[in-house]
Amino acid sequence: MAEATFDLIILGGGPAGYNAAERAAHGGLKTAVFEERALGGVCLNEGCIPTKTLLYSAKILDYAHHGEAYGVTVTGAFLDHAKVVDRKDKVVKTLVSGVAAKMRGAGVTVISSSAKIAGKTAGGFAVEADGKTYEAKKLLVCTGSEAVVPPIPGLRESYAGGLAVTNREILDLRTPPKRIVVVGGGVIGLEMASYFCSIGAEVYVVEMLDKIAGPTDADISKILQKNYEKKGVKFILGAKVAAVNGKPGDGVVEYEKDGKTEKIACDLVLVSTGRRARTKDIGLEGIGVQMNRGAIITDEQCRTSVPGVWAAGDVNGKIMLAHTAYREGEVAVSDMLGVKDRVDYRSIPSVIYTNPEVGSVGETAESAKKAGIEAEEAVLSLRYSGRYVAENEGGDGIVKIVYGKEHHEILGVHMIGSYASEIIYGAAAMVAKKQRVADVEKLVFPHPTVCEVIREAMFSIQ
């Protein structure tokens, strides 16, 4: 006999899960969330929020160290990493408590346990947790993702011994490394490279590709790399890590580049080579949910191959970002409630929260070409913004507009510079609404702001 019966059971209490739970409960569905760790998932507990807390402290330190250009001299500024971690913990605790309060307020049942789908029932599905069985008419799988630890010789042993860490462990370090090697030049690796470089560590980034920041526009990637190098980060691109050996404080990373093998001595190794969907041992195979390379296959309504089962967030492997997960959870619930809705993956923005920030949405010129879209691009320096010049001594930020060649519809917007993370949502709306260049030219942007450069860039298009 079932311990309890619900309209909807959600596996995972991260951004997709808890947001969907609140929407579902307000929509009249009796809802339960199973979460084995803490509400908020990776984003809140060991990703988005903790890293931004650290990066903000580093930004304040950078301002103190480089204030002379703005007529401000600060002497003796230093960062107490342990106190930064304490503040990070406080911020996370506050926000996790807030999520729990939202669940209580919505009447959502939260069960602190891992759960496994036990199979189908006459009325829906059975889920097992802690030896008890629960039933629901519908399932929403939001089990998230986990860091990939690649099969590099010695890496797993180094991870077990503490020399190598992922984003989870590095955020809890009380003593920062003096020399760190970051394996992987994606967003997580770059943000941590920026932080540790700002607080005085010697930082190396080893990346297999010939550019950093993955799918980020190539020109913006180059500007970002140049800014990092000015800070002191050392990049080794087009290189493959061959081995990791040693112990915390006394490690060695070997890499191969141009047919040669080189070594870097280090105190710590951050493994930042990507993430994969967490789908193992949760019972998906038993009910026939189709997957591709370990991720659940979903459509634009987040429906899986099994009627009555939806999946949202990193577990579907599409765009592993918290805001994507929020939207997917909302769309899944809309579909359950019979409300017409869909996820527009074309207009989901992405951000790199370093200094300078990078904001991107939609097609790059390269991705448009690969997709067979005839597109052109317009590039404008952020120095066309009075506010940017006033606040960025020697700044080299740009905005790039990608637009359709025939109809001038806005296909993508990419920028590097101050406030990019806050500006990019407006560009996402332009892409989502399929606005044309002429439409944006008629919008009134506030002055002086950095965002008005987007409008200026539109006027440069003939």
Side-chain angles (χ1 to χ4, degrees):
M1 183 176 177
E3 179 75 14
T5 301
F6 299 91
D7 296 315
L8 171 64
I9 284 179
I10 300 175
L11 304 185
Y18 74 72
N19 192 47
E22 183 182 22
R23 299 301 176 96
H26 287 316
L29 299 180
K30 184 182 178 182
T31 303
V33 173
F34 288 79
E35 173 54 56
E36 62 182 329
R37 292 186 181 133
L39 287 170
V42 169
C43 175
L44 179 46
N45 293 280
E46 54 197 61
C48 320
I49 301 303
T51 55
K52 304 314 163 283
T53 307
L54 268 63
L55 286 168
Y56 187 71
S57 293
K59 183 180 288 187
I60 293 174
L61 182 65
D62 285 341
Y63 286 155
H65 283 164
H66 304 289
E68 293 87 350
Y70 304 89
V72 180
T73 301
V74 179
T75 57
F78 72 97
L79 182 145
D80 186 328
H81 178 70
K83 288 185 177 179
V84 173
V85 173
D86 286 340
R87 181 172 181 272
K88 178 266 296 183
D89 291 341
K90 181 181 72 172
V91 168
V92 170
K93 183 178 179 181
T94 299
L95 295 174
V96 170
S97 297
V99 174
K102 289 181 73 172
M103 296 298 94
R104 290 193 298 271
V108 175
T109 299
V110 177
I111 300 172
S112 300
S113 171
S114 59
K116 183 175 182 177
I117 302 167
K120 297 179 180 179
T121 65
F125 304 89
V127 172
E128 292 181 350
D130 291 334
K132 299 176 182 178
T133 301
Y134 302 82
E135 293 184 1
K137 298 174 184 176
K138 300 175 176 66
L139 293 179
L140 176 56
V141 183
C142 305
T143 47
S145 63
E146 59 191 359
V148 173
V149 180
I152 297 170
L155 183 55
R156 292 192 178 277
E157 293 80 3
S158 297
Y159 181 65
L163 170 65
V165 297
T166 67
N167 63 293
R168 175 184 294 178
E169 297 85 17
I170 201 167
L171 292 169
D172 290 328
L173 291 178
R174 305 294 297 180
T175 303
K178 294 180 179 179
R179 178 181 276 203
I180 178 173
V181 174
V182 178
V183 181
V187 174
I188 296 172
L190 291 175
E191 290 184 351
M192 289 294 91
S194 177
Y195 174 77
F196 285 106
C197 182
S198 289
I199 68 173
E202 189 174 356
V203 180
Y204 294 81
V205 176
V206 183
E207 166 60 50
M208 288 186 67
L209 300 177
D210 60 0
K211 65 184 285 288
I212 63 171
T216 301
D217 175 86
D219 292 333
I220 286 178
S221 175
K222 290 176 183 177
I223 294 172
L224 183 63
Q225 182 177 335
K226 185 174 71 173
N227 277 270
Y228 272 50
E229 289 171 338
K230 284 182 180 178
K231 292 177 64 173
V233 177
K234 301 174 181 64
F235 289 95
I236 304 168
L237 305 181
K240 178 182 178 182
V241 175
V244 178
N245 296 293
K247 58 185 179 180
D250 185 21
V252 174
V253 172
E254 295 183 17
Y255 66 89
E256 298 173 353
K257 180 179 171 66
D258 299 329
K260 298 179 181 178
T261 300
E262 305 285 350
K263 296 181 179 181
I264 309 172
C266 60
D267 302 323
L268 191 72
V269 178
L270 171 61
V271 183
S272 181
T273 52
R275 302 184 65 82
R276 64 185 171 206
R278 294 185 69 236
T279 56
K280 188 178 179 181
D281 298 328
I282 60 173
L284 294 170
E285 298 85 351
I287 58 172
V289 172
Q290 292 182 2
M291 290 183 280
N292 179 34
R293 301 177 67 179
I296 299 175
I297 298 172
T298 57
D299 62 14
E300 291 183 331
Q301 283 71 41
C302 298
R303 295 176 293 215
T304 71
S305 59
V306 177
V309 181
W310 290 257
D314 287 4
V315 76
N316 65 28
K318 290 190 175 181
I319 301 178
M320 292 185 172
L321 298 170
H323 45 278
T324 309
Y326 284 134
R327 180 64 183 136
E328 289 175 335
E330 292 168 356
V331 169
V333 171
S334 292
D335 195 54
M336 295 175 199
L337 298 175
V339 178
K340 189 176 180 180
D341 206 352
R342 61 181 285 273
V343 183
D344 181 6
Y345 290 102
R346 298 177 309 108
S347 59
I348 293 177
S350 62
V351 176
I352 303 175
Y353 293 86
T354 53
N355 189 13
E357 294 182 342
V358 174
S360 304
V361 65
E363 303 284 355
T364 62
E366 183 180 6
S367 67
K369 184 177 180 180
K370 287 182 179 179
I373 301 170
E374 287 194 80
E376 296 185 348
E377 60 182 14
V379 183
L380 194 66
S381 168
L382 294 193
R383 295 183 68 81
Y384 276 79
S385 159
R387 184 177 183 184
Y388 182 80
V389 174
E391 296 183 358
N392 294 271
E393 187 71 18
D396 56 358
I398 64 169
V399 63
K400 181 176 288 193
I401 312 295
V402 180
Y403 58 96
K405 185 176 181 179
E406 182 178 358
H407 300 295
H408 283 198
E409 71 277 18
I410 300 167
L411 301 172
V413 178
H414 311 273
M415 63 185 303
I416 179 168
S418 48
Y419 313 113
S421 63
E422 301 291 347
I423 295 169
I424 201 64
Y425 88 95
M430 296 172 193
V431 174
K433 298 294 183 182
K434 300 181 180 178
Q435 288 185 305
R436 298 189 180 187
V437 169
D439 298 326
V440 180
E441 288 176 346
K442 296 173 185 176
L443 296 177
V444 179
F445 286 65
H447 175 79
T449 57
V450 177
C451 68
E452 62 185 325
V453 174
I454 291 177
R455 184 170 182 263
E456 292 299 321
M458 299 296 173
F459 279 109
S460 73
I461 297 171
Q462 302 299 317

